[in-house]
Amino acid sequence: DQQVKQNSPSLSVQEGRISILNCDYTNSMFDYFLWYKKYPAEGPTFLISISSIKDKNEDGRFTVFLNKSAKHLSLHIVPSQPGDSAVYFCAASEKGAGSYQLTFGKGTKLSVIP
Amino acid sequence: DGGITQSPKYLFRKEGQNVTLSCEQNLNHDAMYWYRQDPGQGLRLIYYSQIVNDFQKGDIAEGYSVSREKKESFPLTVTSAQKNPTAFYLCATRLGGGTGELFFGEGSRLTVL
């Protein structure tokens, strides 16, 4: 059973507009969430994270929002640039799991159209 | 340069052969991980190690084996028992303690013919 879900396999956005990528989770023990960006044939690179004690974290053009009651988080990219075109993975870790590991969603492919 | 080195980047093998993928890091990170990525799938955890000489199975460990004899190295062997070995394999590290991000290598593409 998937504990981290990214229900949109792909998203197309015009350059300069906002990109919103969504992620839902089912495990209420998840307490730390991350977004990774991945280009083809490369390893993922860390983008931004948020702890469950916060509802928003911002880093430049990237903002992550967390709604714990809905078990939902989203990544906003403003303004979107062609170089943002990549696959974005949402990931989560569990509090008190005894060992630290990340559970990933299946990813959303973002295409930013010039 | 500090980083994570995976080798080889591309590997072709015949069915039934064991294959070992290398992962070396000079970040002095305690924890190391192996993930597998298939098209349209997320990253799935194969094995991970929090300290030297200790490792745990992840969600899809069947048909794989690992060792952690040195802090810097965490090789993954894909055995002939792995039914669908063709995939993109990613090694990652983490400093250790508390929460934090994983740092990934460039990946190794294994194709079994």
Side-chain angles (χ1 to χ4, degrees):
Chain A
D1 184 35
Q2 260 195 294
Q3 298 187 70
V4 177
K5 299 177 184 179
Q6 295 178 256
N7 292 319
S8 298
S10 62
L11 174 68
S12 289
V13 171
Q14 207 73 31
E15 180 179 3
R17 306 295 289 268
I18 184 172
S19 296
I20 300 176
L21 295 94
N22 293 304
C23 178
D24 297 294
Y25 61 96
T26 57
N27 186 342
S28 57
M29 295 301 288
F30 284 152
D31 69 335
Y32 189 70
F33 304 88
L34 307 90
W35 285 94
Y36 279 84
K37 175 180 179 180
K38 185 182 181 301
Y39 294 116
E42 293 185 8
T45 54
F46 170 72
L47 208 52
I48 193 169
S49 63
I50 188 167
S51 165
S52 60
I53 61 173
K54 294 185 173 182
D55 54 18
K56 177 182 175 182
N57 190 25
E58 194 171 352
D59 184 1
R61 296 186 298 114
F62 303 92
T63 303
V64 57
F65 295 92
L66 176 62
N67 182 334
K68 288 188 291 293
S69 60
K71 294 192 178 68
H72 176 84
L73 63 155
S74 60
L75 174 68
H76 293 210
I77 307 173
V78 182
S80 301
Q81 300 173 353
D84 295 330
S85 297
V87 176
Y88 289 78
F89 289 100
C90 172
S93 68
E94 184 176 331
K95 176 170 49 180
S99 63
Y100 184 87
Q101 53 181 280
L102 295 183
T103 301
F104 286 83
K106 290 189 175 183
T108 297
K109 184 176 182 180
L110 174 66
S111 300
V112 179
I113 304 160
Chain B
D1 281 355
I4 303 164
T5 303
Q6 288 189 240
S7 62
K9 192 166 177 66
Y10 299 96
L11 186 60
F12 296 86
R13 278 294 180 267
K14 291 182 180 179
E15 199 171 320
Q17 290 182 329
N18 289 0
V19 167
T20 296
L21 306 179
S22 170
C23 180
E24 302 281 331
Q25 57 109 351
N26 60 6
L27 300 170
N28 200 32
H29 284 180
D30 294 310
M32 297 187 75
Y33 304 77
W34 275 105
Y35 283 87
R36 167 180 171 146
Q37 187 194 9
D38 296 282
Q41 298 291 321
L43 279 64
R44 293 183 291 168
L45 182 63
I46 304 172
Y47 267 100
Y48 63 102
S49 167
Q50 310 242 70
I51 56 171
V52 174
N53 292 323
D54 187 47
F55 49 83
Q56 288 81 41
K57 292 182 178 180
D59 300 320
I60 55 166
E62 186 176 348
Y64 299 98
S65 66
V66 292
S67 63
R68 186 88 186 273
E69 296 176 3
K70 300 184 300 181
K71 187 175 185 177
E72 302 78 22
S73 179
F74 191 41
L76 172 74
T77 297
V78 185
T79 75
S80 55
Q82 168 50 233
K83 294 177 182 177
N84 296 296
T86 295
F88 190 57
Y89 291 89
L90 287 157
C91 176
T93 69
R94 191 175 74 92
L95 181 59
T99 56
E101 69 265 31
L102 270 58
F103 296 84
F104 284 87
E106 291 292 297
S108 293
R109 166 75 62 187
L110 172 63
T111 303
V112 176
L113 307 171

